[in-house]
Amino acid sequence: MHTVFQPEAMSGENKRLIELEKMKKNLEYQLQEMAKTVEKQQEMLAMAKRDPLTGLRNRLGIPELVNDRLRAEQEGVFFIMDMDNFKSVNDTYGHMEGDHVLTKFARALKGAVDARDIAARLGGDEFVVFSPGHSDKCEVKAKAQRIVRQIERGLVAPGRLVRVTISMGIACAPTDGVTYEALYGNADKALYGVKKAGKNGYRFYDDLDESRCIEAVCDRPQCSLEEITSNLRERKMEGSFEVEYTNFENIYRFMERNLIRDRREVQCVLFTLEDHIDADEMLIQGQLEHLQHAVVSSLRKGDVTTKYSSTQVLALLMDVNRENTDMVVNRILARYRAEAGKDVMHVLYDIQQLRDCRAEG
C-alpha cells in the first residue's frame, strides 16, 4: 500500500490559514486604531468643553448638563456673576495679572459650591453656577452670600490697589424657566439690575420690578445716526438714558472739540434692532439688553456706550480707525447672536467718524 502526498493541496491550505491569520491581525489593528481615534476625539471634545485657563466648563460645556439635570429634577438655582472692577485690574496691572485673578476666582468658586453643582466660565469674567434640586429662598440667599464672600476673600491681594467686588443675578427653576437658556437669560437680567443699582450685590429675577425695566429713554423715537449726532452737537440730547461711562453727552462734545489738537480718531457707532414691529415689548427689552451686554463687554478702556432708545444703542470707540471699528462691530454682533437665543433680531449699524466741530464752522 502506497501513501500519496499532495504537497500542492497542503501548501494551499496552509497559505489560506496564514492569510486568514493576517486578516485577523489586520482587523484587530484597525479596531485598535479606531478605538484610539474615538478616544482621541472624545478627549478633544472634552477639552473643547473646558476653559483652558480655569479648568471649569465653558460656554459649550454647560448647557447640556444643566438641561439634563432640569429634565431629571425639574428644580434648581442658576447663579450668574462677574467682577465689578475686573477691567481696572487689566488696565492697571496688565492681562497676566488679570488671568491670575480669573484663576483665583475659579478656585474660590469651586471651594464655595457643593459637589453636585455645575460651575462654568462663559468668557471674560463671567461665571455661572447651577445648583440642582429644591432650595427655599433663604437657603439660596445664604448660598449667594457664601459664594460672594468666599470669592472676594480669595481675590484679596497685598499691594493691589484695585478692590474687586462681585455682582450676581439669580434665577430659580421652574418659576423663572425650565431650560438653561431661559434661566441664563433671566439671571442675566437680574445681574443687569444689580449693575444698574450700583454693583456689588445680588438680586433675584423674581424681585425685579418689570415696570421699571422700561425707562423713559425707551419712549424716544428712532433716529438716524446723523440726527442723533446733530442733536448732540446742539445740546438737544434730552431725558435720562443709561451710560457705561458717565456723561456720554459731555464726552461726545469734549472729543469733538479736542480731536485736532490731540490727533485722535473716534468713531460713533449706532446699533439698531430690526424686525421688532410685531414683537412684544418685553421681548424687545430682553433683546436690547442682550445687545447692550454684547456692546459693553466688547469695548475697551475709554470707550463709551449708552442706550439711546427702546431699540438703539450708541457707542463711542476711542482711538480706532474705520477698519478696526468694523472688526469691533463684527465682534459685538457675533457675541449678540451667540447670547440672544431663539429670539435673536437683525441688527443694523451705522458708523460715523467724529470731526472737530470748530473746523465745520
Side-chain angles (χ1 to χ4, degrees), residues 254-255 258-267 300-303 317-320 353-356:
F254 176 85
M255 295 310 302
N258 292 276
L259 284 173
I260 291 180
R261 186 187 69 188
D262 294 343
R263 297 182 180 179
R264 300 180 68 180
E265 285 189 81
V266 179
Q267 311 289 337
R300 307 156 308 148
K301 181 182 178 182
D303 296 339
L317 306 185
M318 308 293 183
D319 302 312
V320 293
Q353 182 174 337
L354 268 69
R355 292 178 174 81
D356 192 295

Side-chain angles (χ1 to χ4, degrees), residues 184-312:
Y184 173 86
N186 289 332
D188 195 47
K189 289 176 184 175
L191 174 62
Y192 177 77
V194 176
K195 295 288 190 182
K196 187 174 157 187
K199 307 179 181 179
N200 191 20
Y202 63 88
R203 180 170 293 184
F204 287 81
Y205 173 71
D206 65 4
D207 288 340
L208 290 177
D209 184 357
E210 297 294 347
S211 65
R212 294 182 183 176
C213 289
I214 303 168
E215 302 182 28
V217 65
C218 298
D219 295 329
R220 259 195 215 100
Q222 278 197 8
C223 294
S224 69
L225 181 57
E226 184 177 355
E227 290 171 323
I228 294 170
T229 53
S230 175
N231 288 341
L232 283 166
R233 267 187 216 104
E234 299 171 14
R235 297 175 179 261
K236 290 181 179 178
M237 202 74 159
E238 299 176 352
S240 169
F241 52 88
E242 192 170 310
V243 179
E244 174 66 12
Y245 302 99
T246 58
N247 211 329
F248 181 92
E249 183 180 2
N250 288 339
I251 292 173
Y252 181 96
R253 290 200 298 272
F254 176 85
M255 295 310 302
E256 273 198 325
R257 292 192 178 99
N258 292 276
L259 284 173
I260 291 180
R261 186 187 69 188
D262 294 343
R263 297 182 180 179
R264 300 180 68 180
E265 285 189 81
V266 179
Q267 311 289 337
C268 190
V269 187
L270 174 67
F271 298 88
T272 303
L273 289 173
E274 288 290 88
D275 306 324
H276 62 274
I277 296 175
D278 297 325
D280 65 71
E281 198 170 43
M282 291 308 299
L283 188 150
I284 295 171
Q285 177 68 18
Q287 289 304 306
L288 185 70
E289 290 175 3
H290 283 304
L291 176 59
Q292 191 173 23
H293 181 264
V295 173
V296 171
S297 60
S298 300
L299 298 184
R300 307 156 308 148
K301 181 182 178 182
D303 296 339
V304 185
T305 181
T306 180
K307 182 167 61 176
Y308 179 72
S309 76
S310 61
T311 55
Q312 294 180 302

Side-chain angles (χ1 to χ4, degrees), residues 141-160:
K141 285 181 180 179
K143 184 165 188 170
Q145 291 168 354
R146 184 177 75 246
I147 291 173
V148 170
R149 281 197 304 268
Q150 194 153 329
I151 291 173
E152 289 184 348
R153 281 200 299 268
L155 295 181
V156 172
R160 190 196 299 139

Side-chain angles (χ1 to χ4, degrees), residues 64-78:
E64 185 178 355
L65 283 174
V66 172
N67 283 327
D68 286 346
R69 295 284 181 89
L70 285 168
R71 281 191 289 269
E73 302 195 32
Q74 306 296 316
E75 293 180 309
V77 183
F78 192 93

Side-chain angles (χ1 to χ4, degrees), residues 23 46 58-59 97 99 131 140 183 187 199 212 272 285 303 307 323 328:
M23 289 175 63
N58 61 16
R59 189 179 294 275
E97 175 63 15
D99 286 349
S131 182
V140 177
L183 291 173
K199 307 179 181 179
R212 294 182 183 176
T272 303
Q285 177 68 18
D303 296 339
K307 182 167 61 176
E323 181 180 352
V328 173

